[in-house]
Amino acid sequence: MERTVPAAPSDPPAPAAPDPASDAPASDACFPDVAGLLDGMPRQRERGGTGAGETAVTPLATAAPDTRLRVPRLRRLFPTPAGTPFTFVYGAALAVVSLVAAHLDPALVQTLHQGSSTDVAHLVRTPVLVLVASALWIAGGILSPYAVALLFVLTALERRIGGVRTAGVFLLGHAGATLATEVPIGLAVLVGHLPASSLHRLDYGVSFGVAASLGALAGLLRPWLRRPLLALFGWMLVTDLIAFTDPMTDWGHLIALAIGVATWPAVRRWHRARQPLAGRRVS
């Protein structure tokens, strides 16, 4: 009976000879080359190089420097059809009325002013009509201070509380200050303290609504801007009242400003309610 002897296993391959140019032992060949790097200093490898196992390292994305001139808030000072529709449409209507009136006969314009006046006689007969019509005229023209103030104040207020509420604040100041000044005149005429001609006192314009809107807007501003704004505007109104050129109108401006300040709880609540819709933009 023959025995079969298994074949002897082949000799394993001889280990590769170490590189004579390298001082590192053969057991460290699996580690990446760190020659030339400083101890204790992370992330010294060049971006875009190779790591262990010759794996390419993806460069980290870096934000490109923004060299554009940043004026993101400047355009928000002016009304736009989409952003501030009430201010845009109302301002356009006032501009059209002012331009048309500039080309009409002065006697006709005076007649239109008298017909739109919110005096006692008109308020007794057609209160709603004259309150609306009187708000379509700008005393002093389209370039008067109150016209410029209307553009910026209503735009800023509408961006914070919306168009319908801005219109409500404006009309509240316009109507409230008008009634607060004209009702005493009617009572004074009734008891004989003023002549009957006072019932037809010429009174029109947007100044009461602007004063109320500015007072409401101040409640949404930061204290460092709110206080000097109210102080400056209040000082102007008091100065006009001391001059005593038109005391009833000057009292109306102060009353309208007080009406606007009285709306602070409401406008602040409306502003907070709009914050999620507006992406919580900073006021």
Side-chain angles (χ1 to χ4, degrees):
M1 185 174 184
E2 297 181 354
R3 299 179 60 183
T4 304
V5 180
S10 61
D11 296 334
D19 187 359
S22 173
D23 295 336
S27 59
D28 294 341
C30 61
F31 295 100
D33 183 19
V34 293
L37 302 185
L38 300 178
D39 293 338
M41 300 293 291
R43 302 178 65 178
Q44 297 180 67
R45 290 191 178 277
E46 190 70 26
R47 289 180 181 176
T50 58
E54 300 298 324
T55 302
V57 179
T58 304
L60 298 177
T62 57
D66 190 359
T67 59
R68 295 175 300 175
L69 180 63
R70 287 190 169 274
V71 284
R73 294 280 179 178
L74 186 58
R75 61 184 178 81
R76 293 176 59 82
L77 298 176
F78 299 94
T80 59
T84 56
F86 166 69
T87 305
F88 186 85
V89 172
Y90 184 41
L94 290 173
V96 170
V97 171
S98 298
L99 291 175
V100 170
H103 294 83
L104 294 178
D105 182 71
L108 176 59
V109 174
Q110 179 67 21
T111 302
L112 293 174
H113 285 167
Q114 190 64 54
S116 305
S117 175
T118 51
D119 52 41
V120 176
H122 283 114
L123 287 173
V124 171
R125 294 196 302 267
T126 56
V128 176
L129 178 61
V130 294
L131 283 171
V132 173
S134 65
L136 295 177
W137 300 97
I138 302 177
I142 194 65
L143 297 179
S144 67
Y146 276 104
V148 177
L150 179 142
L151 181 69
F152 292 109
V153 170
L154 289 189
T155 297
L157 186 61
E158 184 172 359
R159 289 192 184 279
R160 287 163 171 79
I161 66 173
V164 175
R165 290 162 177 169
T166 299
V169 171
F170 181 89
L171 291 176
L172 179 63
H174 176 67
T178 297
L179 294 176
T181 53
E182 294 297 337
V183 169
I185 291 177
L187 295 176
V189 171
L190 186 63
V191 299
H193 289 172
L194 288 176
S197 59
S198 300
L199 298 176
H200 303 278
R201 189 180 71 93
L202 191 61
D203 187 14
Y204 65 91
V206 300
S207 58
F208 290 170
V210 172
S213 300
L214 188 145
L217 175 63
L220 301 177
L221 302 178
R222 300 185 184 278
W224 65 267
L225 181 57
R226 177 195 314 142
R227 292 166 184 168
L229 178 64
L230 289 177
L232 177 62
F233 188 62
W235 177 79
M236 292 172 54
L237 298 183
V238 171
T239 302
D240 292 340
L241 186 60
I242 294 174
F244 211 73
T245 54
D246 190 357
M248 295 308 300
T249 299
D250 297 334
W251 272 115
H253 290 151
L254 284 172
I255 294 171
L257 180 63
I259 291 174
V261 171
T263 64
W264 283 3
V267 296
R268 286 169 174 171
R269 184 172 62 253
W270 296 336
H271 180 53
R272 287 193 299 268
R274 280 177 57 87
Q275 287 296 84
L277 300 178
R280 294 196 175 275
R281 290 191 295 265
V282 178
S283 303

